[in-house]
Amino acid sequence: MERPSVVWVFSILVVLGALNSIYNAVPAMTASALASSPVVFYATVLSLLALIPAIVFIYKFFMLRRDSLIWLYISFGLKIVLSLIATKWITAAITAVFGWVVWDYISHKKIGNKPVFK
């Protein structure tokens, strides 16, 4: 089965977002940044660790695997928890709504009366 365009677009956006996160983390990982603010350093390390489930999720999502739902829960859940810890309430709410939209797409998307995610 051919991948729907939504899968392509979402996968590209997530990969670009992950690359952007890694690029932005490089300055915070330097020794001078650690000396000035260890909190920023540890927050950056946590955000980079949170990318691991996101990468696994997007791989399984792109491969149209239904078990991508497990990684969706882990990935989006970590992002929501980290946003709540950082008191970014609006970011946490937007992430939760967007996670629900992605869950709904994976759970219910059909082409030709056959589920896209197997």
Side-chain angles (χ1 to χ4, degrees):
M1 177 182 301
E2 196 170 309
R3 285 177 184 78
S5 59
V6 171
V7 171
W8 279 98
V9 171
F10 183 67
S11 298
I12 290 169
L13 289 175
V14 170
V15 168
L16 289 175
L19 291 174
N20 184 47
S21 295
I22 294 168
Y23 176 77
N24 289 331
V26 171
M29 301 297 285
T30 62
S32 61
L34 177 59
S36 65
S37 178
V39 173
V40 172
F41 176 79
Y42 293 118
T44 303
V45 169
L46 281 175
S47 68
L48 287 175
L49 289 175
L51 282 178
I52 295 169
I55 291 167
V56 173
F57 161 70
I58 203 60
Y59 171 76
K60 291 187 174 276
F61 180 82
F62 187 75
M63 300 310 281
L64 304 177
R65 302 284 311 267
R66 189 151 181 93
D67 64 344
S68 66
L69 283 173
I70 295 167
W71 293 98
L72 169 81
Y73 301 143
I74 296 168
S75 175
F76 278 68
L78 280 174
K79 178 134 175 81
I80 291 168
V81 168
L82 290 175
S83 295
L84 291 174
I85 290 171
T87 64
K88 296 180 180 179
W89 313 112
I90 294 174
T91 303
I94 291 170
T95 303
V97 169
F98 194 70
W100 175 78
V101 170
V102 174
W103 168 84
D104 188 60
Y105 183 82
I106 293 170
S107 298
H108 299 105
K109 179 65 177 170
K110 293 181 180 183
I111 294 179
N113 224 10
K114 292 182 180 180
V116 173
F117 292 85
K118 299 175 183 161

